[in-house]
Amino acid sequence: MELCDMPAWKLKEMISKGEIGPEDVLDSVFNRIDAVEGTLNSYITLLRDSSYAQAKEVKRRLKEGESLPLGGIPIAIKDIICTKGIETTCASKILKGFRPPYDATVVARVKRAGGIIVGKTNLDEFAMGSSTENSAFGPTRNPWNPETVPGGSSGGSAAAVAAGEAILALGSDTGGSVRQPAAFCGIVGLKPTYGLVSRYGLIAYASSLDQIGPMTKDVKDCALLLQVIAGKDDKDSTSIKLNLPNYLEACEVKDLKGIKIGLPRECVSESIDRSVARVIEEAKRVFEKLGAKVVEISLPHIEYALPTYYIIAPAEASSNLARYDGVQYGLRLKAGSLREMYLETRTNGFGEEVKRRIMIGTYVLSAGYYDAFYLKALKVRRLVKEDFDEAFKEVDYILTPTSPTPAFKIGEKIDDPILMYLSDVFTVPVNLAGICAISINGGFSDDGLPIGIQIIGRAFDEYGVLGVASAFEAETECHSRRPYRR
Ligand code: GLN
């Protein structure tokens, strides 16, 4: 097996035994990039030279006896997360040329841990989308079948990890953007509880929903990366002070005796793809075999979660995106007056979907519509959260599909925004409630496309969620399949 197809924890072992060096891993990753990037387009910016410089530095630190949790591991960063001096575009023309003067907290932590940043990955512009087709830099393709989308908005990160163009990646998840692309590309994606991971330096989409999460080949890597990025940061007032557990220990869970998992009746309806229903049925049997009790539950307001999200997220986005006025960042188009300059810059700088969201958001916040849309959405958000509170009185975890279908064809949904939004039906409730959830590979469709299952946990129970996911992984084979190594 090539190094680029191995998980980080394994490479770390090999590096620490002196069997390989960080440059060997980089060579393997860049060889793969050279072979497949022309097809996949996972990256907006590649950092080949600085990667090798970082590798040298990591080698020196390792030699000096520093203990580096990510020592020498190549990692890709979604291009909505600020990297000091390195262009950060959000896949938008409006940020072209923007070089942040600082690192996001997660990036600083990754560097401190010895991770090597190999590039900035493609995404839907400002993380708005579910297919990575809304990028000013062209779509990313799914390594399992380049005719299909990798999911979105962190599609570049997902494709890169699945294809061996990176060992680990960071994505951001506002309504499913880590989990849904992880599902479509057959990898692991975790949306941490709101407040666990600092958002400092994550360019804001919808601030009450945004979280940064790990995207990895397996659950153990997910625990490894979460450990590095989680924890209080004084630069983000919503980050929470908490005694972090050792997430890697969670991966030692072998059985699920005494654990109760709820399967929401509303999430196994006829509207999900047959292959997805089959994978959920099989997953249920795996969990039962591991000793868990799987029971039917109800989340009565979940059907309102999607419309609620698509009011709250655009409302917050319309406010967050007001700062791109041609004055402070990136693109500025010439015009006769200030007003015309705003108009020209924003009209040309933003793509269709972003403009759609700004218009929806402005509409639902405007006088006369605020109560009918935005305020009502906030009330429904509370009801969705209370559904989870009730459910978690009865069960420890909740199992749902990550997405109602496997990866769809490029172009299939791009002209029908509502159809595209439906892809997020199972992921957005988790963001609205502020809790945590992981997507892991549960199996494959008849066409050989990966299918994700989602395990939802209580707020700050990432440890438990990782344990359940890792027990599932130990019992099944599907996660070890890779698109370029069948
Ligand atoms: N697909 C959802 C949206 O378009 C979620 C995106 C995200 O999580 N960033 O808003």
Side-chain angles (χ1 to χ4, degrees), residues 149-216:
V149 302
S153 64
S154 315
S157 288
V161 170
E165 291 184 292
I167 305 300
L168 303 167
L170 287 178
S172 65
D173 191 313
T174 305
S177 278
V178 160
R179 290 161 287 157
Q180 184 257 23
F184 280 15
C185 291
I187 63 164
V188 175
L190 174 82
K191 201 286 290 179
T193 306
Y194 189 79
L196 184 69
V197 177
S198 168
R199 292 177 299 111
Y200 178 76
L202 166 66
I203 295 177
Y205 162 15
S207 309
S208 77
L209 302 159
D210 297 341
Q211 269 291 289
I212 293 171
M215 304 179 76
T216 60

Side-chain angles (χ1 to χ4, degrees), residues 40-90:
L40 300 183
N41 194 31
S42 307
Y43 285 96
I44 291 176
T45 303
L46 275 169
L47 302 167
R48 199 181 296 251
D49 294 344
S50 75
S51 291
Y52 282 95
Q54 290 174 66
K56 248 195 193 143
E57 175 65 12
V58 165
K59 258 176 92 168
R60 187 191 59 75
R61 289 169 68 192
L62 285 172
K63 226 189 214 147
E64 281 176 4
E66 252 191 89
S67 131
L68 301 176
L70 300 180
I73 303 298
I75 175 167
I77 309 283
K78 185 178 183 180
D79 206 23
I80 193 168
I81 300 175
C82 287
T83 39
K84 188 174 175 180
I86 296 165
E87 192 177 15
T88 300
T89 66
C90 292

Side-chain angles (χ1 to χ4, degrees), residues 325-327 333 335-345:
D325 55 2
V327 176
L333 294 180
S337 67
L338 182 66
R339 206 187 133 77
E340 276 172 29
M341 191 276 285
Y342 287 158
L343 191 68
E344 280 297 303
T345 304

Side-chain angles (χ1 to χ4, degrees), residues 22 26 35 44 72 155 193 231 238 270 330 355 390 393 460:
L26 275 181
I44 291 176
T193 306
T238 62
E270 281 136 34
K355 282 189 269 198
E390 279 306 305
K393 284 183 189 156
F460 300 106

